[in-house]
Amino acid sequence: MEAVVARARAVAGLFLGDAATRLAFGYLALVVAVAIFASWIAEFPPLQTSVGPAFARPGVPYFMGTDDLGRDIFSGVVHGARVSLGVGFVAATASAFIGVVMGVVAGYFGGRIDVALMRVTEVFFVIPMVFLAILLVAFFGSGIWNVIFVIVILSWPATARLVRGQVLSLKEREFIKAARALGEGHAFIMFREILPNTLAPIIVNGSIQMAQAIVVEAGLSFLGLGDQNLTSWGVMLFRSQRFLMQEAWWTFVFPGLALFLTVLALNVLADSLNNILNPRTRHRKA
C-alpha cells in the first residue's frame, strides 16, 4: 500500500511539476465546474431572446455582451461548455471502447480478422475526416446524438490501430505464454493480461480524441450542420459569422476563445500524460 501511495505521489509530482500542465489542468477543472453548474452560473437561458438590447457591448449586466436577438453571450458560453464537453467526452469514450475491443481482438487473433480490420481503418484514413463527417451528418441528420454517432464512427479506427500495435508487441511476451500454459482462455488473456498493459497510450489518445471531437462538432456546427436546438460553442460561432465584418466582435471572440483554450488545454494535458505514462519519454526526461 505504501508503494502505491508513493508511486501516486511521484506521478502527481511529475504531472503538476510543469507550469503549462498546471495551467491546463486548472483551466479544464474550471471549465468542467462551469459545465456542471451552468444553470446556477448563467443568469439567463442560453436560447432566450431579448434579455437585453441587441448587440449590447460587454459590460454590466451583460459581461460578454448580447447578439443580434438580444441573447446573453455569457450564458451561451457557459451552457455551451456543457454541450461541447459532453459531446467530446461521450464521443471519445464510445470510440475508445469500440476501438479497444476491435484492436485487442484483431491484434490477438491476427489472420483474416486482422486483415479485415486494417482494410476498414484504411478507408477512414484515406478520406478526410471532416469531409466524411459532413456527408454522414447530411445523411443522418444534425441532431446532437447523430453528431456524436458520426464522430464515434470516424474516431474508433485510430484507437483500434493503436491498440492493435500494442497487442502485437505484447502477445508473445513471457507472461502471456505463462497464462496460456496455465490454461487461461482467450478472453481472460486479452482483457485481463494484455489490455491493462495498453492503458497508457489509450488514456493519452483519449485526451487527444476528446479535443478532436470538440473541434469536429464545432466545425460541423459552424457549417450549419450542428443541432440548432442546443447551444454549443460551434453553434454560437455559426450564429455570429454574419457579423464578422461588423463591430460586434464579442459575438464570436468569446465562444471562439473558449473553444481554442479548451482544445489547447486538452492537448497540453495529453502531452503531459504521455510524458508521465510513456516509459521511454519519462526516462529520456529524467
Side-chain angles (χ1 to χ4, degrees):
M1 184 63 183
E2 293 181 358
V4 174
V5 173
R7 180 173 177 77
R9 288 177 177 174
V11 170
L14 287 171
F15 186 72
L16 298 176
D18 180 66
T21 304
R22 289 197 301 269
L23 286 174
F25 184 78
Y27 173 79
L28 289 174
L30 176 63
V31 173
V32 170
V34 166
I36 293 173
F37 300 106
S39 300
W40 289 272
I41 296 173
E43 183 177 356
F44 308 102
L47 297 176
Q48 182 177 336
T49 59
S50 302
V51 300
F55 295 125
R57 300 182 71 86
V60 179
Y62 314 111
F63 302 116
M64 295 182 179
T66 61
D67 64 8
D68 58 320
L69 297 180
R71 289 176 293 221
D72 183 46
I73 299 296
F74 176 75
S75 299
V77 171
V78 168
H79 283 273
R82 177 179 292 178
V83 176
S84 295
L85 286 184
V87 169
F89 178 78
V90 173
T93 302
S95 64
F97 176 79
I98 297 172
V100 166
V101 173
M102 298 293 287
V104 169
V105 171
Y108 182 79
F109 289 106
R112 294 181 179 178
I113 296 176
D114 187 26
V115 172
L117 174 67
M118 290 302 99
R119 298 294 83 81
V120 171
T121 58
E122 285 171 2
V123 172
F124 289 94
F125 285 112
V126 168
I127 304 176
M129 183 176 182
V130 175
F131 177 73
L132 272 177
I134 293 172
L135 290 180
L136 291 174
V137 169
F139 179 78
F140 289 110
S142 58
I144 191 66
W145 289 108
N146 290 337
V147 171
I148 292 174
F149 172 75
V150 167
I151 295 173
V152 171
I153 291 298
L154 297 177
S155 299
W156 73 264
T159 303
R161 288 176 69 96
L162 173 67
V163 174
R164 170 187 173 271
Q166 295 291 315
V167 173
L168 288 175
S169 67
L170 289 170
K171 69 177 185 179
E172 299 302 328
R173 298 281 182 90
E174 292 299 325
F175 69 97
I176 302 299
K177 294 180 180 179
R180 291 196 187 102
L182 291 173
E184 301 292 355
H186 294 309
F188 180 90
I189 294 175
M190 285 190 294
F191 297 105
R192 293 292 299 275
E193 297 290 342
I194 294 179
L195 182 58
N197 289 283
T198 66
L199 288 180
I202 291 173
I203 292 172
V204 175
N205 186 66
S207 299
I208 296 173
Q209 289 205 327
M210 183 172 176
Q212 185 181 57
I214 293 173
V215 170
V216 171
E217 186 278 330
L220 292 173
S221 297
F222 183 76
L223 295 174
L225 297 174
D227 192 339
Q228 300 300 314
N229 296 317
L230 297 172
T231 298
S232 70
W233 295 330
V235 170
M236 295 183 70
L237 291 173
F238 168 72
R239 295 173 187 157
S240 66
Q241 60 182 300
R242 293 175 295 165
F243 317 120
L244 290 176
M245 303 305 295
Q246 300 180 18
E247 294 184 0
W249 54 266
W250 55 89
T251 60
F252 55 86
V253 166
F254 290 117
L257 189 62
L259 174 65
F260 169 75
L261 291 176
T262 300
V263 172
L264 177 64
L266 283 169
N267 280 279
V268 171
L269 188 67
D271 185 61
S272 300
L273 287 172
N274 182 60
N275 292 337
I276 294 169
L277 299 175
N278 188 332
R280 297 177 182 176
T281 306
R282 186 168 65 244
H283 293 330
R284 187 163 59 245
K285 284 184 171 291

